[in-house]
Amino acid sequence: MAANGKDTTGSAAPVVAALDAVSVRRYTTGQVILDDIDWTVRSGEHWALLGANGAGKTTMLRLIGALMHPTTGSVEVLGHRLGRVDVRELRAHIGLVSSAQKIPQDATGHTVVLTGHTGTVQPLWRKYDDEVRERAHALLAELEIKELADRAFGVCSGGQRARILVARALMADPSLLLLDEPFNALDLPSREDLIDAMHRLATTRSSLATITVTHHLEELSPAIGHVLLLKEGRVLTSGGAEDVLTAERMTECFGRPIEVSRHEGRWLARSGRR
C-alpha cells in the first residue's frame, strides 16, 4: 500500500473512521463545539489535526476514540457506528497516546506496556501469559527503548515516557492510533526521537492509520500525508499536506500572518510580518 492510503491497484483503502454531518453541543449552555463535520480517514493514512486552542481538536479525537458521542450526525470507527456498539470493546482496538494519561510512576516500562493488553491503568497479572509478555518486550525493542523494560516510568525522560506510551498503545495491534499532543513538554532531542519513531512505524506498519493533534508543524513526521485544519469548530479545509499547509490557509486558520516552509519532508511555520 502506498503512503497516500491507496493500494497498488489504485482502489481506495478501507475506511477506519468516518464523521458524517457531526455536531457537538454542550447540553448545559448550548455552546457549539463542533459544527457539521465531515471527515474520512482510511487505512494507512497519517493525518495531522491542527487548529487554534478551543477549535475542537480534542473533541474530534474523543469522538474517534469512542470516548463520547456526537449530538447530531454519525461517527463510524473500525466499521462500527457509535450508539450501536459496545464502546468498551471498540476502544480495545484503538490506540491512544496522550501526555495526560495517568500512569503509575513506579511501574516499569515493561509493565506499562503490558497494561495496554488489558486497557487498564493497573496491571492485571493473570491476563498476561508468556506470549503477551514477550510481545511487550518486542514493542519496546521496536520503539528502540528495550533498555527501559526494568526502569520505573517516573524516572524516564519525557521522550522515553512518550515512546513507552506508544508501545503500550500498540499492544492491542490497533488499526488506528490517536496521538493527542504527544510532544507536549519534550525537549529537542526527545522530540526528534519520537518523530523518528513515528516515521518508522508508518514505514513498517503499512495498514496503520494515525491522527496526530499538535500545535507545531515541526512536530510532524515526514510520514504525515494529510492535514485537517479546524477553526471555531468547523473544518476550514482538509486534504493532502502540500495542499493544506500553505501560508494562505494557515493564516486563515490561526488569524495572523504565517509563513510555511518545508525542508527534507519536515514542515516549519512561523509568524510572518504584518
Side-chain angles (χ1 to χ4, degrees):
M1 182 177 295
N4 62 0
K6 300 289 184 86
D7 65 25
T8 55
T9 66
S11 59
V15 172
V16 295
L19 279 64
D20 182 16
V22 164
S23 295
V24 174
R25 294 176 175 82
R26 293 192 191 280
Y27 289 109
T28 53
T29 64
Q31 176 189 0
V32 177
I33 301 172
L34 295 176
D35 186 18
D36 197 26
I37 301 291
D38 294 319
W39 188 23
T40 300
V41 177
R42 296 183 179 274
S43 175
E45 291 182 345
H46 302 286
W47 282 82
L49 179 55
L50 306 175
N53 288 336
K57 302 185 298 298
T58 296
T59 300
M60 292 267 280
L61 222 57
R62 286 178 58 81
L63 287 169
I64 295 176
L67 295 170
M68 64 180 296
H69 291 74
T71 306
T72 57
S74 66
V75 177
E76 291 194 6
V77 183
L78 304 180
H80 299 282
R81 182 169 175 173
L82 298 191
R84 301 178 182 176
V85 63
D86 186 334
V87 293
R88 293 169 298 181
E89 293 184 5
L90 183 57
R91 288 174 197 152
H93 301 285
I94 303 169
L96 174 63
V97 177
S98 170
S99 58
Q101 287 172 296
K102 303 299 184 184
I103 302 294
Q105 298 298 292
D106 59 345
T108 65
H110 185 253
T111 297
V112 173
V113 177
L114 277 176
T115 62
H117 179 72
T118 47
T120 57
V121 175
Q122 296 293 339
L124 303 179
W125 296 111
R126 294 182 180 180
K127 299 287 187 179
Y128 311 140
D129 59 20
D130 290 343
E131 182 179 352
V132 171
R133 292 168 184 263
E134 182 54 38
R135 175 167 169 75
H137 280 298
L139 285 169
L140 286 169
E142 183 178 357
L143 273 295
E144 298 186 351
I145 47 173
K146 63 182 181 180
E147 72 279 5
L148 303 181
D150 298 320
R151 187 177 304 178
F153 184 80
V155 302
C156 293
S157 70
Q160 291 169 336
R161 289 196 296 268
R163 282 187 283 167
I164 289 172
L165 292 178
V166 172
R168 178 183 186 273
L170 293 174
M171 274 296 288
D173 196 21
S175 301
L176 178 61
L177 181 61
L178 309 178
L179 300 110
D180 188 7
E181 298 188 34
F183 304 95
N184 187 33
L186 298 189
D187 61 19
L188 180 59
S190 296
R191 184 192 75 182
E192 293 302 302
D193 286 344
L194 182 55
I195 290 171
D196 288 344
M198 297 311 303
H199 195 195
R200 287 195 305 274
L201 285 179
T203 302
T204 59
R205 296 171 177 257
S206 60
S207 62
L208 179 67
T210 66
I211 301 173
T212 301
V213 171
T214 181
H215 290 288
H216 307 288
L217 297 194
E218 301 92 322
E219 295 174 348
L220 301 181
S221 93
I224 296 293
H226 300 77
V227 177
L228 184 145
L229 296 184
L230 199 62
K231 182 176 183 180
E232 297 176 353
R234 297 183 64 90
V235 175
L236 180 63
T237 188
S238 68
E242 292 186 359
D243 296 324
V244 174
L245 295 179
T246 65
E248 180 181 6
R249 287 176 168 169
M250 290 289 287
T251 294
E252 183 179 0
C253 182
F254 289 93
R256 64 179 301 160
I258 293 178
E259 297 175 356
V260 178
S261 59
R262 194 179 190 188
H263 178 66
E264 296 183 351
R266 296 285 298 277
W267 295 93
L268 172 67
R270 62 180 182 180
S271 180
R273 295 180 179 178
R274 295 183 180 277

Coordinates of all heavy atoms in Angstrom, one line a residue, residues 19 21-25 31-39 49-60 63 72 228-237 253:
L19 N -16.7 10.6 10.0 CA -17.6 11.5 10.6 C -18.5 12.1 9.5 O -18.0 12.6 8.5 CB -16.9 12.7 11.3 CG -16.3 12.3 12.7 CD1 -15.2 11.3 12.6 CD2 -15.8 13.6 13.4
A21 N -21.6 14.8 9.0 CA -22.5 15.8 9.5 C -22.5 15.9 11.0 O -23.6 16.0 11.6 CB -23.9 15.7 8.9
V22 N -21.4 15.7 11.6 CA -21.3 15.6 13.1 C -21.3 17.0 13.7 O -20.5 17.9 13.3 CB -20.0 14.9 13.5 CG1 -19.6 15.1 15.0 CG2 -20.2 13.4 13.2
S23 N -22.1 17.2 14.7 CA -22.1 18.4 15.6 C -22.1 18.0 17.0 O -22.6 16.9 17.4 CB -23.3 19.2 15.3 OG -23.3 19.8 14.0
V24 N -21.4 18.8 17.8 CA -21.4 18.6 19.3 C -21.7 19.9 20.0 O -21.1 20.9 19.7 CB -20.0 18.1 19.8 CG1 -19.9 18.0 21.3 CG2 -19.6 16.7 19.1
R25 N -22.7 19.8 20.9 CA -23.1 21.0 21.6 C -23.1 20.6 23.1 O -23.4 19.5 23.5 CB -24.5 21.4 21.2 CG -24.6 22.0 19.8 CD -26.0 22.3 19.4 NE -26.1 22.9 18.1 CZ -26.1 22.2 16.9 NH1 -26.0 20.9 17.0 NH2 -26.1 22.8 15.8
Q31 N -23.6 25.7 23.8 CA -22.5 26.1 23.0 C -22.1 25.1 22.0 O -22.1 23.9 22.2 CB -21.3 26.3 24.0 CG -20.0 26.6 23.3 CD -18.8 26.6 24.2 OE1 -18.9 26.3 25.4 NE2 -17.6 26.9 23.7
V32 N -21.9 25.6 20.8 CA -21.5 24.7 19.7 C -20.0 24.5 19.7 O -19.2 25.4 19.6 CB -21.9 25.3 18.3 CG1 -21.4 24.3 17.2 CG2 -23.4 25.5 18.2
I33 N -19.6 23.2 19.9 CA -18.1 22.9 19.9 C -17.7 22.4 18.6 O -16.6 22.8 18.1 CB -17.9 21.8 21.0 CG1 -18.3 22.3 22.4 CG2 -16.4 21.4 21.1 CD1 -18.3 21.3 23.5
L34 N -18.4 21.5 17.9 CA -18.2 21.1 16.6 C -19.5 21.3 15.7 O -20.6 21.1 16.2 CB -17.8 19.6 16.5 CG -16.5 19.3 17.1 CD1 -16.3 17.8 17.1 CD2 -15.3 20.0 16.5
D35 N -19.3 21.7 14.5 CA -20.5 22.1 13.7 C -20.3 21.5 12.3 O -19.5 21.9 11.5 CB -20.6 23.6 13.6 CG -21.8 24.1 12.9 OD1 -22.8 23.3 12.8 OD2 -21.9 25.2 12.5
D36 N -21.2 20.5 12.0 CA -21.3 19.9 10.7 C -20.0 19.4 10.1 O -19.6 19.8 9.0 CB -21.9 21.0 9.7 CG -22.5 20.3 8.4 OD1 -22.9 19.1 8.5 OD2 -22.5 21.0 7.4
I37 N -19.4 18.5 10.8 CA -18.1 18.0 10.5 C -18.2 16.7 9.6 O -18.9 15.8 9.9 CB -17.2 17.6 11.7 CG1 -17.0 18.8 12.6 CG2 -15.9 17.0 11.3 CD1 -16.2 19.9 12.1
D38 N -17.6 16.8 8.4 CA -17.4 15.6 7.6 C -15.9 15.3 7.5 O -15.1 16.1 7.1 CB -18.0 15.8 6.2 CG -19.5 16.0 6.2 OD1 -20.2 15.3 6.9 OD2 -20.0 16.9 5.4
W39 N -15.6 14.0 7.7 CA -14.2 13.6 7.7 C -14.0 12.1 7.5 O -14.7 11.4 8.2 CB -13.5 14.1 8.9 CG -12.0 14.0 8.9 CD1 -11.1 13.9 7.9 CD2 -11.1 13.9 10.1 NE1 -9.8 13.8 8.3 CE2 -9.8 13.8 9.6 CE3 -11.4 13.9 11.5 CZ2 -8.7 13.7 10.5 CZ3 -10.3 13.8 12.3 CH2 -9.0 13.7 11.9
L49 N -4.1 16.9 12.8 CA -5.3 17.7 13.1 C -4.8 19.0 13.8 O -4.2 18.9 14.9 CB -6.2 16.9 14.0 CG -7.5 17.5 14.5 CD1 -8.3 18.0 13.3 CD2 -8.3 16.5 15.4
L50 N -5.0 20.1 13.1 CA -4.4 21.4 13.5 C -5.5 22.4 13.7 O -6.5 22.4 13.0 CB -3.4 21.9 12.5 CG -2.2 21.0 12.1 CD1 -1.4 21.6 11.0 CD2 -1.4 20.6 13.3
G51 N -5.3 23.3 14.6 CA -6.2 24.4 14.9 C -5.8 25.2 16.1 O -5.0 24.6 17.0
A52 N -6.3 26.4 16.3 CA -6.0 27.2 17.5 C -6.6 26.5 18.7 O -7.5 25.6 18.6 CB -6.5 28.6 17.3
N53 N -6.2 26.9 19.9 CA -6.8 26.4 21.1 C -8.3 26.7 21.1 O -8.7 27.8 20.7 CB -6.2 27.1 22.3 CG -4.8 26.7 22.6 OD1 -4.4 25.6 22.2 ND2 -4.0 27.5 23.3
G54 N -9.1 25.7 21.5 CA -10.5 25.9 21.5 C -11.2 25.6 20.2 O -12.4 25.7 20.1
A55 N -10.4 25.2 19.2 CA -11.0 24.9 17.9 C -11.9 23.6 17.9 O -12.7 23.5 17.0 CB -9.9 24.8 16.8
G56 N -11.6 22.7 18.8 CA -12.4 21.5 18.9 C -11.6 20.2 18.6 O -12.2 19.2 18.4
K57 N -10.3 20.4 18.6 CA -9.4 19.2 18.2 C -9.6 18.1 19.2 O -9.7 16.9 18.7 CB -7.9 19.7 18.1 CG -7.6 20.8 17.2 CD -6.2 21.1 17.1 CE -5.6 21.5 18.5 NZ -6.2 22.8 19.0
T58 N -9.5 18.3 20.4 CA -9.6 17.3 21.4 C -11.0 16.6 21.3 O -11.1 15.3 21.5 CB -9.4 17.8 22.9 OG1 -8.1 18.3 23.0 CG2 -9.6 16.7 23.9
T59 N -12.0 17.3 21.1 CA -13.4 16.7 20.9 C -13.4 15.8 19.7 O -14.0 14.7 19.8 CB -14.4 17.9 20.8 OG1 -14.4 18.7 22.0 CG2 -15.8 17.3 20.6
M60 N -12.8 16.2 18.6 CA -12.7 15.4 17.5 C -12.0 14.0 17.8 O -12.5 13.0 17.4 CB -11.9 16.1 16.4 CG -12.6 17.3 15.8 SD -13.6 16.9 14.3 CE -12.3 16.8 13.1
L63 N -14.3 11.8 19.9 CA -15.3 11.1 19.1 C -14.7 9.9 18.4 O -15.3 8.8 18.5 CB -15.9 12.1 18.1 CG -16.8 13.2 18.6 CD1 -17.0 14.2 17.5 CD2 -18.1 12.6 19.1
T72 N -25.4 15.4 17.1 CA -26.1 15.0 15.9 C -25.1 14.5 14.9 O -23.9 14.7 15.0 CB -26.8 16.2 15.2 OG1 -25.9 17.3 15.0 CG2 -27.9 16.8 16.1
L228 N -6.0 18.2 8.4 CA -7.3 18.8 8.6 C -7.1 20.1 9.4 O -6.5 20.0 10.5 CB -8.3 17.9 9.2 CG -9.7 18.5 9.3 CD1 -10.8 17.4 9.1 CD2 -10.0 19.2 10.7
L229 N -7.5 21.2 8.9 CA -7.5 22.5 9.7 C -8.9 22.8 10.2 O -9.8 22.8 9.5 CB -7.0 23.6 8.8 CG -5.6 23.6 8.2 CD1 -5.3 24.9 7.4 CD2 -4.6 23.4 9.3
L230 N -8.9 22.9 11.5 CA -10.1 23.2 12.3 C -10.1 24.6 12.8 O -9.2 25.0 13.4 CB -10.3 22.2 13.4 CG -11.6 21.9 14.0 CD1 -12.6 21.3 13.0 CD2 -11.5 20.9 15.2
K231 N -11.2 25.3 12.5 CA -11.4 26.7 13.0 C -12.7 26.9 13.6 O -13.8 26.7 12.9 CB -11.1 27.7 11.9 CG -11.2 29.1 12.4 CD -10.8 30.1 11.3 CE -10.8 31.6 11.8 NZ -10.5 32.5 10.8
E232 N -12.8 27.2 14.9 CA -14.0 27.5 15.6 C -15.1 26.4 15.4 O -16.2 26.7 15.2 CB -14.6 28.9 15.2 CG -13.6 30.0 15.5 CD -14.1 31.4 15.0 OE1 -15.1 31.4 14.3 OE2 -13.5 32.4 15.4
G233 N -14.6 25.2 15.5 CA -15.5 24.0 15.5 C -15.9 23.6 14.1 O -16.7 22.7 13.9
R234 N -15.4 24.2 13.0 CA -15.7 23.8 11.7 C -14.5 23.5 10.9 O -13.4 24.0 11.2 CB -16.5 24.9 10.9 CG -17.8 25.3 11.6 CD -18.5 26.4 10.7 NE -18.8 25.9 9.4 CZ -20.0 25.3 9.1 NH1 -20.9 25.0 10.0 NH2 -20.2 24.9 7.8
V235 N -14.6 22.6 9.9 CA -13.5 22.2 9.0 C -13.2 23.4 8.1 O -14.1 23.8 7.3 CB -13.8 21.0 8.2 CG1 -12.6 20.7 7.3 CG2 -13.9 19.8 9.2
L236 N -12.0 24.0 8.2 CA -11.7 25.1 7.3 C -11.2 24.5 6.0 O -11.7 24.9 4.9 CB -10.5 25.9 7.9 CG -10.0 27.0 7.1 CD1 -11.1 28.1 6.8 CD2 -8.8 27.7 7.7
T237 N -10.4 23.4 6.0 CA -10.0 22.7 4.8 C -9.4 21.4 5.2 O -8.9 21.3 6.4 CB -9.1 23.5 3.9 OG1 -8.8 22.8 2.7 CG2 -7.7 23.7 4.6
C253 N -6.5 30.1 9.2 CA -6.9 29.2 10.3 C -6.5 29.9 11.7 O -7.3 29.8 12.6 CB -6.1 27.9 10.2 SG -6.5 26.7 11.5

